[in-house]
Amino acid sequence: MPTPLSLTIVPGINDSNEKHWQSRWQATQTDAVRIRPASWDEPDLENWIAAVDAAVTTPDTILVAHSLGCLAAAAWLAQKPGRVRGALLVAPPDRFGAGFPQAAPSFRSAEPVLLGVPALVIASADDPYCALGTARNLAAAWGAGFVDVGNAGHLNAASKLGAWPAGRAILDEFAHSLAGMVR
């Protein structure tokens, strides 16, 4: 069921393939838009911020970010406060963790700041790219709510979530709460 607001999909490094829940959600939401940075495999933060900016066409939008995309979405929100209704940030990576992509050094500079819009961080207790406590601290720094989904890996295609109906239910509840807010 589509949300009452538009979605801007902000994948992580290498984009989200057709088995990833982001791609599946995009396929069911006819007004969803995906960012198109110049490079998926050697990401540059400024380029990804510009790609988010180009993809957001209406203020009635929720950013739906995964992994490295969470850092890009948060950095964009710091530069463009109030341009969207909210942000769903799934499996943010630890910028200083051992598993952080070496191909994305510019993303290490994405200091967490208050996002200025309602936001929700979803994290897994056994995410190899970010300890649960680090994800919880990021949520607090961003001024976001926090949902621990238990042991589900990196919440990507390798986690075999399919369309991830539990995540979609969280998104839909979040979207409906935002749709009712007066701007």
Side-chain angles (χ1 to χ4, degrees):
M1 167 189 205
T3 68
L5 300 170
S6 297
L7 302 180
T8 296
I9 306 295
V10 187
I13 195 167
N14 299 320
D15 199 0
S16 297
N17 67 28
E18 68 281 350
K19 293 181 180 180
H20 196 288
W21 57 266
Q22 277 185 314
S23 298
R24 292 175 185 225
W25 290 6
Q26 183 178 0
T28 64
Q29 184 91 20
T30 57
D31 59 353
V33 177
R34 181 182 297 254
I35 70 163
R36 299 285 178 215
S39 174
W40 285 112
D41 55 354
E42 293 181 14
D44 173 74
L45 181 59
E46 291 304 316
N47 176 257
W48 281 42
I49 290 170
V52 174
D53 197 52
V56 173
T57 59
T58 173
D60 288 328
T61 295
I62 298 174
L63 299 178
V64 177
H66 177 260
S67 194
L68 203 61
C70 295
L71 301 180
W76 180 80
L77 284 165
Q79 292 182 11
K80 309 281 184 167
R83 291 263 320 271
V84 295
R85 286 285 187 107
L88 186 74
L89 307 167
V90 179
D94 179 349
R95 297 179 300 137
F96 302 109
F100 193 81
Q102 290 183 357
S106 63
F107 281 73
R108 290 188 194 272
S109 68
E111 290 290 331
V113 298
L114 289 176
L115 300 180
V117 297
L120 191 58
V121 171
I122 300 176
S124 166
D126 63 349
D127 187 335
Y129 302 107
C130 189
L132 195 60
T134 301
R136 194 179 306 275
N137 290 340
L138 270 173
W142 285 331
F146 185 78
V147 177
D148 172 356
V149 295
N151 292 336
H154 190 50
L155 299 168
N156 58 4
S159 297
K160 298 184 177 160
L161 299 170
W164 193 30
R168 186 60 195 228
I170 293 168
L171 169 66
D172 289 342
E173 182 179 332
F174 181 59
H176 284 285
S177 73
L178 297 176
M181 295 174 68
V182 177
R183 283 181 62 95

